[in-house]
Every structure is written in structure tokens, then in C-alpha cells.
Amino acid sequence: MTWGEDPTSSVVVSWASPGQAANPRVLMPGSSVTGRVVHAVQRIYTDGLNGQTVFTYHAHLDGLEPGSTIHYEVTADNDHHREQPFAASFQTAPRGRVPIRWTSYGDLATPVTSWVLSSPQSRYAVQAVEQFKPLFHLLNGDLCYANMNPGAQPAVWAAFGNNVQLSAAMRPWMPCPGNHEIEFGNGPLGLDSYLTRYSLPRNGTSFPGLWYRFRVGSALFISLAADDVIYQDSGAFVAGPAPLQPAPSTGNAPIEPGSSLYIRGYSGGEQTSWLEKTLSEAAQDDGIDWIIVQMHQDALSSSKNGNGSDKGIRETWLPLFDRYGVDLVLCGHDHDYERSWPVRGCNHNAGRDAATGAVVDTCQPKPVITTEPIDGGYDTSRGTIHLILGGGGTSAPLDAYGLNSATDMPQAKVITKPNRPVPSADARIFVKPGADALEDAIWSARRDTDTGYGIAVFDLDPTLAGGKTSITIRYYHALGADKQPVARYELFDSLVLLKNRRDRNIG
Ligand SMILES: [Fe+2]
Ligand SMILES: [Fe+2]
């Protein structure tokens, strides 16, 4: 389930099926609002690597009552369970300045351990969402790593759907695309599997479904597709020595070693224009106190063994976040937890080339404070806080971070140019070079060195005394899960964001 255009009154129920459904539909027993039956639209694609056709169905439930509980059933004329169809219930968003809770992580994978990068922790991560019962969940890209299992992409997606359904049938799970959604054989961007499975709010651009916004209470959520602006090459890749051989039925040619799907710049600036328009409209709206951005890749990450920070996001989007006062940026990509200080603006020429030591402009973000606030909360109207939440449930947790051995300060790798595949010592095998630059991570506030796994829980209080509003963030981590999957998530980090309500700002 995902939000429709207006979370107070609309959701989309989407599902995939191994065969074609006859008369697919959602029933709403007892609902007087929209009628009792909503027919689903079919969208299909044929996987370009193994030739399997995937059938998906999307029912738009509109005109729902705000803040209400809706029961629904999913069925079709050829549903084997027609007597007792799949049934669940969900809540629409309440209207007005209301308290809301949401949760977030990225990099989930599946619990089916035969798939590359999957882990049983992925099941516990879905259960963790249910433990906190948010109104909705933000899934920050790298959903299931189907592209790491190129002969079986549809089966990996099916394992993902079966796993998340435990929660995603009862509350919207709002995704953004990650680099592991970029698949060979599936469309010009490699994103046809993702785009076929999800029906997301309209963005009015030539790229429907890739980025979108929605509003809940006094918060505006903006979901971005960062592969459009990052320098790093992290989509589907054939290392070699053998080519990747699509099934004969696809008619597709072998994909040669050294091939990668590098899609930086695909929207020709359309996404960034949309972002600026969306942010400038939000700035005119006194009903919006908070702006939260979701994207997969990281502008501020000091992971040692992961990808690190990407200058593409820093130079393209961070200036907009500064100008329009984005409060929070929620990411994944590096499979760990890191929180930044509030940052605004950047220092130029503060980085070093990783190989030569020459000065590099990494656009090093500038923290506005580097100590915990003493008056109860971080004022994010002064700076944007970035959270890396890449600890969904992959088999590759990362909890090592960079350190400048000369100063003992946190150090970040920064990717400032494309790292396209190059031949290795064995010319038949290709590798992607790592980050090309280093900088002191003067913006890094907290890093979880115990485990890479966790979930962030956000509680927005819209109306505090004195015209204030707050978001309390609690990050729970799965201690011990790096060694063995664990169901228990315990508190690791908490902080409060506190600022004036927009409608109380005078002058
Ligand atoms: Fe990932
Ligand atoms: Fe990623």
C-alpha cells in the first residue's frame, strides 16, 4: 500500500501475481464512502534477463474519510482464495495540524537467504515497523537487490513483496529508488521493475513514479531519485570474466564484462526544477512547518567500507535544501547509522585527493553547531540534519567508519567524479574504483559502531506551548545482529528537533 495524491483520503493498493488476474479488485466491506468495489488496473512487464512476465495490479481507493480505519479485501475471479480473500485494514491520515508517527530505513533485501545480499534480519526489520505502528513507513531505496540476482529478478521481488506485506498491507510504505533497483534489461533507466510495481503520487514531469511529494499534517515529505544527480556508478554491473547471458526467449544480446547502467543526468535537470518548485511552494505555505526529504544515496556519510559521500548531491541539491530550509534528509545506501550535525553551506577546497593528496573541492558541509543543544532541541531552521539509515536487513551490515589517523577526527570518503568500471589486473575482470577524495567529517555527530542494523522512529508534535513544534527522533538498533539475526531492537540514539511553527512567525 502507498499513499494516493492526498493521504487524508486516498491510498493505492498494489499487488503482484504469478499469473494474470481476471477482474482484479479491492472490496471495502461496510464502506459507504466510495462504493464497495474498486477495480484494479493491470500493469505488466517482461523481465529482460530471464523472460518472465510479471503481472501487477493497482487499485486507487479515493474519497476516504480522514483519520478513519478502512477494512479491505483483495481478490479476482480466478483467486484460489475467493471464499476467504486476502484481507487487511489501514488508517487514512487525519486532517489538520495533528501528531504523526512515521518510521524509516533503507536497504531491506529479503529473508530468503538463497538470494545475494538477503538475510533473515529482513523479516525482523518488517516486524520492527509493526512494533512501532507508524502511520506510514519510508523505505529509502535498495528494496530487495534483485539486480544482484540477475537470473531471477522477478523471484527476488516476489520474496520482497511477501516479506513486506506483513506491514505494507496495513500502512503505506513509501519508497524511493536505490541503485539496486537499476536492472539490466528492464527499460532505459533499468527501473521498469520498480516503476511497474509501484503507483506513487503524480509529479507532473516526464518521469512519473520516480520522485514525488505528499503532505501529512504539518509535514511535507519529498521523495527523490538520487541516481539522477550522483557521480558514483552503482547500478547494475557485469564484472566478468563471462558476459551476462539473457534467456534466449528475451532475444536480448549478451551483456559484456565492464558494462554498467550509469544513468546520472537522465532527467536533464527536470527533477531538480521540480524540487525547487516544490520547495518554493512549501515556503509560501504557512501550514507546512517541516520539510523531510527521502533519498537513497548519501551527501554526508563517513562509512569506511561503504560508498561514502557523493558530491553530486552536495552541489545539486544541498543549496536548495539550504535556501528553503529542509529540516531532515533520510537516506540509506551505506548499511549503517550515522547522524550529522545541522549543516548549512559548505567549505570549498577542504578535501584531498585520495591517491595524490592534492587539494580537492568536496563542498564540505558546514555544521552550524557541534555540541548537543542545551535548550532541549535542535533548531533545524538553522541547518539540515542528515541521517543514514541503511540498516534494513541486508546480509552486508557496515559499522566501520573513517578516521583521520593524524587528527583522530572522523574522516569521510567523497566521490567527486564518475567511477566507471575499469579493467583489473586480470583484464577480463572489471572493477569500479572507490571514492577519489577524503575530507574531515566535521559534520558527523553520531555513528553506530555496534551494529549496522536499525530503524528510526519519528514523532511529530505539531502544537507545543509558545507556538513551537517538535519532532522526536529515536533510533533503535538490533544489537548483535551483525553476528546473528535478532528480533529485538533497542534504543541507541535520540534527539529532539524544536522550532517555531510557521503560522506563529511574525515579521
Ligand atoms: Fe544497499
Ligand atoms: Fe545503495
Side-chain angles (χ1 to χ4, degrees):
M1 173 175 298
T2 49
W3 291 128
E5 301 301 326
D6 177 358
T8 66
S9 64
S10 57
V11 300
V12 185
V13 178
S14 299
W15 67 98
S17 118
Q20 185 158 31
N23 191 18
R25 59 198 185 272
V26 167
L27 315 173
M28 284 186 283
S31 169
S32 58
V33 189
T34 57
R36 297 173 61 88
V37 182
V38 178
H39 291 277
V41 174
Q42 175 180 282
R43 300 207 307 236
I44 66 174
Y45 73 101
T46 299
D47 185 84
L49 294 182
N50 78 353
Q52 183 181 334
T53 296
V54 175
F55 297 87
T56 76
Y57 298 94
H58 306 267
H60 292 253
L61 315 189
D62 296 317
L64 308 172
E65 214 38 59
S68 63
T69 302
I70 312 281
H71 304 283
Y72 71 100
E73 298 173 355
V74 174
T75 193
D77 288 352
N78 55 346
D79 179 3
H80 295 311
H81 304 283
R82 267 180 79 188
E83 300 304 314
Q84 249 194 320
F86 178 86
S89 54
F90 66 91
Q91 288 192 308
T92 54
R95 204 173 262 156
R97 263 197 168 79
V98 288
I100 54 169
R101 165 176 284 191
W102 74 95
T103 52
S104 183
Y105 51 62
D107 309 84
L108 180 58
T110 89
V112 180
T113 53
S114 45
W115 303 130
V116 171
L117 279 178
S118 279
S119 155
Q121 194 63 34
S122 179
R123 185 61 171 175
Y124 294 137
V126 175
Q127 291 170 352
V129 176
E130 286 310 288
Q131 178 191 330
F132 295 108
K133 302 216 176 313
L135 182 63
F136 61 96
H137 180 66
L138 298 177
L139 183 55
N140 307 339
D142 280 3
L143 309 189
C144 63
Y145 300 85
N147 78 353
M148 298 295 282
N149 301 273
Q153 293 177 150
V156 181
W157 278 102
F160 164 78
N162 287 333
N163 185 40
V164 301
Q165 174 175 288
L166 172 81
S167 173
M170 295 194 283
R171 56 199 89 246
W173 276 47
M174 301 304 284
C176 66
N179 51 304
H180 287 289
E181 277 66 70
I182 299 171
E183 302 168 352
F184 282 124
N186 290 325
L189 301 176
L191 287 164
D192 282 3
S193 294
Y194 177 82
L195 291 168
T196 306
R197 282 180 174 80
Y198 281 102
S199 276
L200 294 163
R202 281 190 293 271
N203 61 26
T205 74
S206 335
F207 299 89
L210 285 173
W211 54 86
Y212 57 90
R213 50 151 282 167
F214 64 92
R215 165 96 176 265
V216 181
S218 57
L220 179 71
F221 293 85
I222 298 177
S223 181
L224 297 175
D227 290 292
D228 191 16
V229 303
I230 55 172
Y231 282 108
Q232 66 201 273
D233 180 358
S234 50
F237 167 50
V238 180
L244 176 59
Q245 202 75 50
S249 69
T250 64
N252 289 335
I255 302 162
E256 295 303 323
S259 305
S260 70
L261 262 178
Y262 186 60
I263 61 175
R264 171 178 159 84
Y266 65 81
S267 85
E270 215 175 327
Q271 181 171 199
T272 301
S273 302
W274 174 88
L275 172 63
E276 174 142 36
K277 180 166 169 281
T278 301
L279 287 170
S280 70
E281 283 169 6
Q284 310 296 317
D285 188 336
D286 276 355
I288 296 174
D289 294 328
W290 299 97
I291 302 174
I292 292 101
V293 167
Q294 170 198 41
M295 70 172 95
H296 179 62
Q297 285 93 351
D298 310 321
L300 285 79
S301 168
S302 66
S303 169
K304 184 183 167 98
N305 304 318
N307 303 280
S309 307
D310 198 296
K311 188 184 174 186
I313 304 169
R314 292 180 174 186
E315 63 189 9
T316 313
W317 289 344
L318 262 51
L320 296 177
F321 298 169
D322 285 347
R323 190 175 315 151
Y324 296 103
V326 168
D327 297 281
L328 265 177
V329 179
L330 310 180
C331 309
H333 199 42
D334 283 340
H335 300 166
D336 59 24
Y337 174 76
E338 182 162 13
R339 163 164 66 85
S340 79
W341 299 112
V343 294
R344 190 126 295 166
C346 73
N347 299 313
H348 292 291
N349 301 316
R352 292 282 181 272
D353 186 279
T356 67
V359 171
V360 174
D361 187 3
T362 55
C363 302
Q364 180 192 45
K366 270 197 281 204
V368 296
I369 50 169
T370 54
T371 53
E372 306 282 331
I374 45 169
D375 52 354
Y378 290 88
D379 182 355
T380 49
S381 61
R382 297 179 54 215
T384 306
I385 292 179
H386 294 246
L387 295 181
I388 311 298
L389 305 169
T394 71
S395 62
L398 299 169
D399 43 31
Y401 304 85
L403 200 68
N404 182 336
S405 51
T407 60
D408 238 16
M409 289 281 291
Q411 185 181 59
K413 301 190 294 186
V414 188
I415 302 146
T416 74
K417 49 192 177 198
N419 60 331
R420 305 305 308 279
V422 291
S424 66
D426 176 346
R428 300 167 309 155
I429 297 176
F430 288 76
V431 292
K432 290 177 184 170
D436 55 279
L438 295 167
E439 73 180 17
D440 282 341
I442 56 174
W443 37 260
S444 183
R446 189 96 199 256
R447 316 190 284 188
D448 188 353
T449 54
D450 294 331
T451 171
Y453 296 107
I455 179 171
V457 183
F458 303 83
D459 287 293
L460 189 160
D461 190 332
T463 48
L464 295 169
K468 299 268 185 187
T469 172
S470 70
I471 295 176
T472 301
I473 304 173
R474 295 183 183 87
Y475 177 77
Y476 295 81
H477 68 179
L479 204 53
D482 289 35
K483 295 196 172 60
Q484 193 174 339
V486 294
R488 193 174 130 77
Y489 284 74
E490 46 198 292
L491 189 63
F492 172 73
D493 191 18
S494 64
L495 64 153
V496 176
L497 316 184
L498 183 68
K499 64 181 199 179
N500 293 326
R501 277 167 57 175
R502 286 279 300 284
D503 61 348
R504 298 296 181 87
N505 279 340
I506 294 165

Coordinates of all heavy atoms in Angstrom, one line a residue, residues 107 142 179-180 296 307 333, ligand 2:
D107 N 17.5 -0.3 2.4 CA 18.4 -1.4 2.2 C 17.8 -2.7 3.0 O 18.5 -3.2 3.9 CB 19.8 -1.1 2.7 CG 20.3 0.2 2.1 OD1 19.9 1.3 2.5 OD2 21.0 0.1 1.0
D142 N 17.1 0.6 -2.3 CA 17.7 -0.7 -2.3 C 16.7 -1.6 -1.6 O 16.9 -2.1 -0.5 CB 19.1 -0.7 -1.5 CG 20.2 -0.3 -2.4 OD1 20.0 0.1 -3.6 OD2 21.4 -0.3 -2.0
N179 N 20.1 2.4 -6.0 CA 20.9 1.9 -7.2 C 20.7 0.4 -7.5 O 20.8 0.0 -8.6 CB 22.4 2.1 -6.9 CG 22.9 1.6 -5.5 OD1 22.3 1.9 -4.5 ND2 23.8 0.7 -5.5
H180 N 20.2 -0.4 -6.5 CA 20.0 -1.8 -6.7 C 18.6 -2.0 -7.3 O 18.2 -3.2 -7.5 CB 20.2 -2.6 -5.5 CG 21.7 -2.8 -5.2 ND1 22.5 -3.5 -6.0 CD2 22.5 -2.2 -4.3 CE1 23.8 -3.4 -5.5 NE2 23.8 -2.6 -4.5
H296 N 18.0 7.8 -1.6 CA 18.7 6.6 -1.3 C 20.2 7.0 -0.9 O 20.7 6.6 0.1 CB 18.7 5.6 -2.4 CG 19.5 4.4 -2.1 ND1 19.2 3.6 -1.0 CD2 20.6 3.9 -2.7 CE1 20.1 2.6 -1.0 NE2 21.0 2.8 -2.0
N307 N 30.1 3.3 0.6 CA 30.3 4.2 -0.6 C 30.9 5.6 -0.2 O 31.6 6.2 -0.9 CB 28.9 4.4 -1.3 CG 28.3 3.1 -1.7 OD1 28.7 2.6 -2.8 ND2 27.4 2.6 -1.0
H333 N 21.7 3.4 1.6 CA 22.9 3.2 0.8 C 24.1 2.6 1.6 O 24.6 1.6 1.2 CB 23.3 4.5 0.0 CG 24.1 4.3 -1.2 ND1 23.9 3.2 -2.1 CD2 25.2 5.0 -1.7 CE1 24.8 3.3 -3.0 NE2 25.6 4.4 -2.8
Ligands
FE2 FE 22.6 1.5 -2.4

